[in-house]
């Protein structure tokens, strides 16, 4: 099942995420059809992540792979964003 998921993501989802400096990583597909993933790069922690999940990822994956019943974003802050925040704080306090 994972090769089919990756194929759909590579063809329909990742090109749009990459256009914004982001990507996604599949974490797991549960036995009851829930696909869990995290956003990477600039998409990680983005305020529009919920809309991206709802409008793009969920729509494409569930339409093309009926075995996937739900798509769930696992929230986390990317290391890249943490480093940017640290640099801003460091520069601001000098």
């Amino acid at each position: 099942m994972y090769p089919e998921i990756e194929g759909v993501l590579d063809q329909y989802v990742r090109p749009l995420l990459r256009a914004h400096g982001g990507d996604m990583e599949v974490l797991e597909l549960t036995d009851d059809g829930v696909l869990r993933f995290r956003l990477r790069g600039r998409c990680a922690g983005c305020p529009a992540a919920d809309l991206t999940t709802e409008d793009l990822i969920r729509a494409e994956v569930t339409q093309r792979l009926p075995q996937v019943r739900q798509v769930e974003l696992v929230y986390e802050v990317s290391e890249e964003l943490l480093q940017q925040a640290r640099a801003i704080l460091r520069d601001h306090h000098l």
Side-chain angles (χ1 to χ4, degrees):
M1 185 72 211
Y2 283 97
E4 293 88 352
I5 292 169
E6 292 293 336
V8 167
L9 296 175
D10 286 344
Q11 185 170 358
Y12 301 101
V13 176
R14 285 191 173 110
L16 296 170
L17 295 175
R18 288 177 180 148
H20 293 271
D23 201 351
M24 67 178 290
E25 174 186 2
V26 173
L27 299 174
E28 71 174 325
L29 177 63
T30 66
D31 291 337
D32 57 344
V34 178
L35 179 68
R36 297 181 70 232
F37 71 96
R38 80 181 86 191
L39 292 173
R40 299 293 223 180
R42 292 186 140 180
C43 292
C46 172
D50 286 336
L51 293 173
T52 299
T53 302
E54 177 90 17
D55 294 343
L56 173 64
I57 300 169
R58 183 176 297 130
E60 290 293 345
V61 171
T62 57
Q63 175 186 354
R64 297 175 192 290
L65 299 168
Q67 310 90 311
V68 178
R69 294 184 28 250
Q70 181 64 290
V71 175
E72 182 179 292
L73 173 61
V74 174
Y75 290 94
E76 66 178 32
V77 178
S78 74
E79 185 59 34
E80 178 185 351
L81 287 176
L82 287 173
Q83 289 175 4
Q84 289 175 3
R86 287 181 188 118
I88 291 168
L89 291 172
R90 184 179 55 247
D91 294 344
H92 180 64
H93 291 299
L94 289 179

PDB file of all heavy atoms in Angstrom, residues 36-61:
ATOM      1  N   ARG A  36      -1.286   8.966   8.570  1.00  0.00           N
ATOM      2  CA  ARG A  36      -0.685  10.007   9.408  1.00  0.00           C
ATOM      3  C   ARG A  36       0.591  10.489   8.730  1.00  0.00           C
ATOM      4  O   ARG A  36       1.380   9.675   8.239  1.00  0.00           O
ATOM      5  CB  ARG A  36      -0.381   9.456  10.799  1.00  0.00           C
ATOM      6  CG  ARG A  36      -1.650   9.032  11.526  1.00  0.00           C
ATOM      7  CD  ARG A  36      -1.382   8.515  12.921  1.00  0.00           C
ATOM      8  NE  ARG A  36      -0.981   9.633  13.757  1.00  0.00           N
ATOM      9  CZ  ARG A  36       0.130   9.658  14.514  1.00  0.00           C
ATOM     10  NH1 ARG A  36       0.935   8.622  14.544  1.00  0.00           N
ATOM     11  NH2 ARG A  36       0.415  10.709  15.239  1.00  0.00           N
ATOM     12  N   PHE A  37       0.776  11.808   8.706  1.00  0.00           N
ATOM     13  CA  PHE A  37       1.933  12.383   8.042  1.00  0.00           C
ATOM     14  C   PHE A  37       2.372  13.646   8.760  1.00  0.00           C
ATOM     15  O   PHE A  37       1.656  14.196   9.581  1.00  0.00           O
ATOM     16  CB  PHE A  37       1.616  12.696   6.578  1.00  0.00           C
ATOM     17  CG  PHE A  37       0.680  13.857   6.423  1.00  0.00           C
ATOM     18  CD1 PHE A  37       1.174  15.132   6.187  1.00  0.00           C
ATOM     19  CD2 PHE A  37      -0.692  13.692   6.537  1.00  0.00           C
ATOM     20  CE1 PHE A  37       0.312  16.211   6.069  1.00  0.00           C
ATOM     21  CE2 PHE A  37      -1.555  14.754   6.411  1.00  0.00           C
ATOM     22  CZ  PHE A  37      -1.048  16.027   6.176  1.00  0.00           C
ATOM     23  N   ARG A  38       3.571  14.117   8.411  1.00  0.00           N
ATOM     24  CA  ARG A  38       4.039  15.410   8.907  1.00  0.00           C
ATOM     25  C   ARG A  38       4.495  16.242   7.717  1.00  0.00           C
ATOM     26  O   ARG A  38       4.940  15.688   6.702  1.00  0.00           O
ATOM     27  CB  ARG A  38       5.136  15.252   9.936  1.00  0.00           C
ATOM     28  CG  ARG A  38       6.497  14.987   9.346  1.00  0.00           C
ATOM     29  CD  ARG A  38       7.543  14.814  10.410  1.00  0.00           C
ATOM     30  NE  ARG A  38       7.493  13.404  10.778  1.00  0.00           N
ATOM     31  CZ  ARG A  38       8.085  12.868  11.809  1.00  0.00           C
ATOM     32  NH1 ARG A  38       8.777  13.585  12.615  1.00  0.00           N
ATOM     33  NH2 ARG A  38       7.994  11.595  12.058  1.00  0.00           N
ATOM     34  N   LEU A  39       4.354  17.529   7.853  1.00  0.00           N
ATOM     35  CA  LEU A  39       4.833  18.447   6.836  1.00  0.00           C
ATOM     36  C   LEU A  39       6.289  18.773   7.128  1.00  0.00           C
ATOM     37  O   LEU A  39       6.715  18.796   8.286  1.00  0.00           O
ATOM     38  CB  LEU A  39       3.987  19.719   6.827  1.00  0.00           C
ATOM     39  CG  LEU A  39       2.547  19.511   6.351  1.00  0.00           C
ATOM     40  CD1 LEU A  39       1.734  20.786   6.545  1.00  0.00           C
ATOM     41  CD2 LEU A  39       2.505  19.071   4.897  1.00  0.00           C
ATOM     42  N   ARG A  40       7.054  19.031   6.081  1.00  0.00           N
ATOM     43  CA  ARG A  40       8.487  19.306   6.183  1.00  0.00           C
ATOM     44  C   ARG A  40       8.801  20.648   5.546  1.00  0.00           C
ATOM     45  O   ARG A  40       8.016  21.188   4.772  1.00  0.00           O
ATOM     46  CB  ARG A  40       9.287  18.222   5.448  1.00  0.00           C
ATOM     47  CG  ARG A  40       9.092  16.845   6.004  1.00  0.00           C
ATOM     48  CD  ARG A  40       9.662  16.770   7.323  1.00  0.00           C
ATOM     49  NE  ARG A  40      10.400  15.543   7.528  1.00  0.00           N
ATOM     50  CZ  ARG A  40      10.988  15.307   8.665  1.00  0.00           C
ATOM     51  NH1 ARG A  40      10.978  16.181   9.622  1.00  0.00           N
ATOM     52  NH2 ARG A  40      11.609  14.182   8.844  1.00  0.00           N
ATOM     53  N   GLY A  41       9.999  21.133   5.825  1.00  0.00           N
ATOM     54  CA  GLY A  41      10.471  22.371   5.215  1.00  0.00           C
ATOM     55  C   GLY A  41       9.616  23.555   5.619  1.00  0.00           C
ATOM     56  O   GLY A  41       9.166  23.652   6.754  1.00  0.00           O
ATOM     57  N   ARG A  42       9.375  24.426   4.685  1.00  0.00           N
ATOM     58  CA  ARG A  42       8.606  25.632   4.977  1.00  0.00           C
ATOM     59  C   ARG A  42       7.148  25.352   5.290  1.00  0.00           C
ATOM     60  O   ARG A  42       6.467  26.196   5.866  1.00  0.00           O
ATOM     61  CB  ARG A  42       8.706  26.608   3.815  1.00  0.00           C
ATOM     62  CG  ARG A  42      10.082  27.173   3.660  1.00  0.00           C
ATOM     63  CD  ARG A  42      10.099  28.221   2.620  1.00  0.00           C
ATOM     64  NE  ARG A  42      10.961  29.300   3.091  1.00  0.00           N
ATOM     65  CZ  ARG A  42      11.195  30.364   2.420  1.00  0.00           C
ATOM     66  NH1 ARG A  42      10.628  30.542   1.251  1.00  0.00           N
ATOM     67  NH2 ARG A  42      12.000  31.286   2.895  1.00  0.00           N
ATOM     68  N   CYS A  43       6.655  24.206   4.926  1.00  0.00           N
ATOM     69  CA  CYS A  43       5.256  23.865   5.215  1.00  0.00           C
ATOM     70  C   CYS A  43       5.055  23.468   6.679  1.00  0.00           C
ATOM     71  O   CYS A  43       3.949  23.564   7.194  1.00  0.00           O
ATOM     72  CB  CYS A  43       4.777  22.743   4.301  1.00  0.00           C
ATOM     73  SG  CYS A  43       4.648  23.243   2.575  1.00  0.00           S
ATOM     74  N   ALA A  44       6.114  23.018   7.333  1.00  0.00           N
ATOM     75  CA  ALA A  44       6.017  22.614   8.738  1.00  0.00           C
ATOM     76  C   ALA A  44       5.734  23.842   9.591  1.00  0.00           C
ATOM     77  O   ALA A  44       6.445  24.829   9.530  1.00  0.00           O
ATOM     78  CB  ALA A  44       7.305  21.939   9.183  1.00  0.00           C
ATOM     79  N   GLY A  45       4.687  23.780  10.360  1.00  0.00           N
ATOM     80  CA  GLY A  45       4.334  24.893  11.229  1.00  0.00           C
ATOM     81  C   GLY A  45       3.639  26.041  10.520  1.00  0.00           C
ATOM     82  O   GLY A  45       3.371  27.069  11.125  1.00  0.00           O
ATOM     83  N   CYS A  46       3.347  25.892   9.264  1.00  0.00           N
ATOM     84  CA  CYS A  46       2.682  26.950   8.497  1.00  0.00           C
ATOM     85  C   CYS A  46       1.258  27.157   9.019  1.00  0.00           C
ATOM     86  O   CYS A  46       0.554  26.193   9.296  1.00  0.00           O
ATOM     87  CB  CYS A  46       2.643  26.561   7.026  1.00  0.00           C
ATOM     88  SG  CYS A  46       1.659  27.658   5.994  1.00  0.00           S
ATOM     89  N   PRO A  47       0.821  28.404   9.129  1.00  0.00           N
ATOM     90  CA  PRO A  47      -0.546  28.666   9.591  1.00  0.00           C
ATOM     91  C   PRO A  47      -1.619  28.073   8.669  1.00  0.00           C
ATOM     92  O   PRO A  47      -2.732  27.824   9.106  1.00  0.00           O
ATOM     93  CB  PRO A  47      -0.644  30.188   9.610  1.00  0.00           C
ATOM     94  CG  PRO A  47       0.750  30.675   9.637  1.00  0.00           C
ATOM     95  CD  PRO A  47       1.585  29.624   8.963  1.00  0.00           C
ATOM     96  N   ALA A  48      -1.275  27.835   7.416  1.00  0.00           N
ATOM     97  CA  ALA A  48      -2.241  27.269   6.473  1.00  0.00           C
ATOM     98  C   ALA A  48      -2.165  25.748   6.397  1.00  0.00           C
ATOM     99  O   ALA A  48      -2.778  25.141   5.519  1.00  0.00           O
ATOM    100  CB  ALA A  48      -2.025  27.867   5.079  1.00  0.00           C
ATOM    101  N   ALA A  49      -1.451  25.105   7.320  1.00  0.00           N
ATOM    102  CA  ALA A  49      -1.276  23.647   7.269  1.00  0.00           C
ATOM    103  C   ALA A  49      -2.605  22.911   7.324  1.00  0.00           C
ATOM    104  O   ALA A  49      -2.789  21.906   6.638  1.00  0.00           O
ATOM    105  CB  ALA A  49      -0.357  23.183   8.391  1.00  0.00           C
ATOM    106  N   ASP A  50      -3.547  23.392   8.119  1.00  0.00           N
ATOM    107  CA  ASP A  50      -4.859  22.739   8.187  1.00  0.00           C
ATOM    108  C   ASP A  50      -5.558  22.786   6.841  1.00  0.00           C
ATOM    109  O   ASP A  50      -6.159  21.804   6.403  1.00  0.00           O
ATOM    110  CB  ASP A  50      -5.748  23.387   9.244  1.00  0.00           C
ATOM    111  CG  ASP A  50      -5.322  23.025  10.649  1.00  0.00           C
ATOM    112  OD1 ASP A  50      -4.688  21.971  10.831  1.00  0.00           O
ATOM    113  OD2 ASP A  50      -5.632  23.801  11.561  1.00  0.00           O
ATOM    114  N   LEU A  51      -5.487  23.925   6.171  1.00  0.00           N
ATOM    115  CA  LEU A  51      -6.115  24.050   4.849  1.00  0.00           C
ATOM    116  C   LEU A  51      -5.409  23.175   3.826  1.00  0.00           C
ATOM    117  O   LEU A  51      -6.053  22.561   2.972  1.00  0.00           O
ATOM    118  CB  LEU A  51      -6.107  25.503   4.377  1.00  0.00           C
ATOM    119  CG  LEU A  51      -6.973  26.450   5.179  1.00  0.00           C
ATOM    120  CD1 LEU A  51      -6.755  27.890   4.719  1.00  0.00           C
ATOM    121  CD2 LEU A  51      -8.436  26.071   5.060  1.00  0.00           C
ATOM    122  N   THR A  52      -4.087  23.126   3.903  1.00  0.00           N
ATOM    123  CA  THR A  52      -3.327  22.262   2.997  1.00  0.00           C
ATOM    124  C   THR A  52      -3.752  20.817   3.178  1.00  0.00           C
ATOM    125  O   THR A  52      -3.979  20.090   2.213  1.00  0.00           O
ATOM    126  CB  THR A  52      -1.813  22.404   3.265  1.00  0.00           C
ATOM    127  OG1 THR A  52      -1.437  23.758   3.029  1.00  0.00           O
ATOM    128  CG2 THR A  52      -1.008  21.483   2.373  1.00  0.00           C
ATOM    129  N   THR A  53      -3.876  20.401   4.428  1.00  0.00           N
ATOM    130  CA  THR A  53      -4.280  19.029   4.714  1.00  0.00           C
ATOM    131  C   THR A  53      -5.671  18.764   4.175  1.00  0.00           C
ATOM    132  O   THR A  53      -5.908  17.778   3.477  1.00  0.00           O
ATOM    133  CB  THR A  53      -4.252  18.770   6.234  1.00  0.00           C
ATOM    134  OG1 THR A  53      -2.934  19.022   6.701  1.00  0.00           O
ATOM    135  CG2 THR A  53      -4.646  17.344   6.551  1.00  0.00           C
ATOM    136  N   GLU A  54      -6.596  19.644   4.491  1.00  0.00           N
ATOM    137  CA  GLU A  54      -7.995  19.464   4.111  1.00  0.00           C
ATOM    138  C   GLU A  54      -8.173  19.538   2.597  1.00  0.00           C
ATOM    139  O   GLU A  54      -8.724  18.653   1.976  1.00  0.00           O
ATOM    140  CB  GLU A  54      -8.833  20.547   4.789  1.00  0.00           C
ATOM    141  CG  GLU A  54     -10.296  20.512   4.425  1.00  0.00           C
ATOM    142  CD  GLU A  54     -11.101  19.638   5.363  1.00  0.00           C
ATOM    143  OE1 GLU A  54     -10.639  19.318   6.462  1.00  0.00           O
ATOM    144  OE2 GLU A  54     -12.208  19.286   4.962  1.00  0.00           O
ATOM    145  N   ASP A  55      -7.712  20.608   2.017  1.00  0.00           N
ATOM    146  CA  ASP A  55      -8.016  20.888   0.614  1.00  0.00           C
ATOM    147  C   ASP A  55      -7.166  20.104  -0.369  1.00  0.00           C
ATOM    148  O   ASP A  55      -7.633  19.742  -1.430  1.00  0.00           O
ATOM    149  CB  ASP A  55      -7.845  22.382   0.323  1.00  0.00           C
ATOM    150  CG  ASP A  55      -8.855  23.230   1.069  1.00  0.00           C
ATOM    151  OD1 ASP A  55      -9.867  22.682   1.537  1.00  0.00           O
ATOM    152  OD2 ASP A  55      -8.615  24.441   1.194  1.00  0.00           O
ATOM    153  N   LEU A  56      -5.942  19.876  -0.042  1.00  0.00           N
ATOM    154  CA  LEU A  56      -5.050  19.244  -1.007  1.00  0.00           C
ATOM    155  C   LEU A  56      -4.792  17.775  -0.695  1.00  0.00           C
ATOM    156  O   LEU A  56      -5.172  16.900  -1.459  1.00  0.00           O
ATOM    157  CB  LEU A  56      -3.718  20.004  -1.040  1.00  0.00           C
ATOM    158  CG  LEU A  56      -2.601  19.385  -1.870  1.00  0.00           C
ATOM    159  CD1 LEU A  56      -2.987  19.345  -3.337  1.00  0.00           C
ATOM    160  CD2 LEU A  56      -1.318  20.153  -1.681  1.00  0.00           C
ATOM    161  N   ILE A  57      -4.186  17.515   0.428  1.00  0.00           N
ATOM    162  CA  ILE A  57      -3.720  16.161   0.714  1.00  0.00           C
ATOM    163  C   ILE A  57      -4.879  15.194   0.909  1.00  0.00           C
ATOM    164  O   ILE A  57      -4.937  14.153   0.260  1.00  0.00           O
ATOM    165  CB  ILE A  57      -2.773  16.169   1.923  1.00  0.00           C
ATOM    166  CG1 ILE A  57      -1.570  17.072   1.612  1.00  0.00           C
ATOM    167  CG2 ILE A  57      -2.337  14.760   2.281  1.00  0.00           C
ATOM    168  CD1 ILE A  57      -0.692  17.379   2.793  1.00  0.00           C
ATOM    169  N   ARG A  58      -5.803  15.540   1.787  1.00  0.00           N
ATOM    170  CA  ARG A  58      -6.931  14.636   2.049  1.00  0.00           C
ATOM    171  C   ARG A  58      -7.734  14.386   0.773  1.00  0.00           C
ATOM    172  O   ARG A  58      -8.071  13.246   0.467  1.00  0.00           O
ATOM    173  CB  ARG A  58      -7.830  15.207   3.138  1.00  0.00           C
ATOM    174  CG  ARG A  58      -8.973  14.256   3.503  1.00  0.00           C
ATOM    175  CD  ARG A  58      -9.813  14.788   4.652  1.00  0.00           C
ATOM    176  NE  ARG A  58      -8.986  14.889   5.855  1.00  0.00           N
ATOM    177  CZ  ARG A  58      -8.906  15.973   6.621  1.00  0.00           C
ATOM    178  NH1 ARG A  58      -9.589  17.040   6.344  1.00  0.00           N
ATOM    179  NH2 ARG A  58      -8.130  15.973   7.686  1.00  0.00           N
ATOM    180  N   ALA A  59      -8.023  15.441   0.035  1.00  0.00           N
ATOM    181  CA  ALA A  59      -8.827  15.290  -1.177  1.00  0.00           C
ATOM    182  C   ALA A  59      -8.160  14.369  -2.190  1.00  0.00           C
ATOM    183  O   ALA A  59      -8.794  13.456  -2.721  1.00  0.00           O
ATOM    184  CB  ALA A  59      -9.103  16.666  -1.785  1.00  0.00           C
ATOM    185  N   GLU A  60      -6.891  14.604  -2.462  1.00  0.00           N
ATOM    186  CA  GLU A  60      -6.188  13.796  -3.467  1.00  0.00           C
ATOM    187  C   GLU A  60      -6.045  12.340  -3.032  1.00  0.00           C
ATOM    188  O   GLU A  60      -6.306  11.426  -3.809  1.00  0.00           O
ATOM    189  CB  GLU A  60      -4.802  14.388  -3.760  1.00  0.00           C
ATOM    190  CG  GLU A  60      -4.828  15.699  -4.496  1.00  0.00           C
ATOM    191  CD  GLU A  60      -5.351  15.605  -5.922  1.00  0.00           C
ATOM    192  OE1 GLU A  60      -5.458  14.496  -6.494  1.00  0.00           O
ATOM    193  OE2 GLU A  60      -5.658  16.673  -6.476  1.00  0.00           O
ATOM    194  N   VAL A  61      -5.641  12.131  -1.796  1.00  0.00           N
ATOM    195  CA  VAL A  61      -5.355  10.768  -1.343  1.00  0.00           C
ATOM    196  C   VAL A  61      -6.634   9.946  -1.216  1.00  0.00           C
ATOM    197  O   VAL A  61      -6.707   8.815  -1.713  1.00  0.00           O
ATOM    198  CB  VAL A  61      -4.560  10.788  -0.019  1.00  0.00           C
ATOM    199  CG1 VAL A  61      -4.447   9.392   0.567  1.00  0.00           C
ATOM    200  CG2 VAL A  61      -3.181  11.384  -0.243  1.00  0.00           C
TER     201      VAL A  61
END
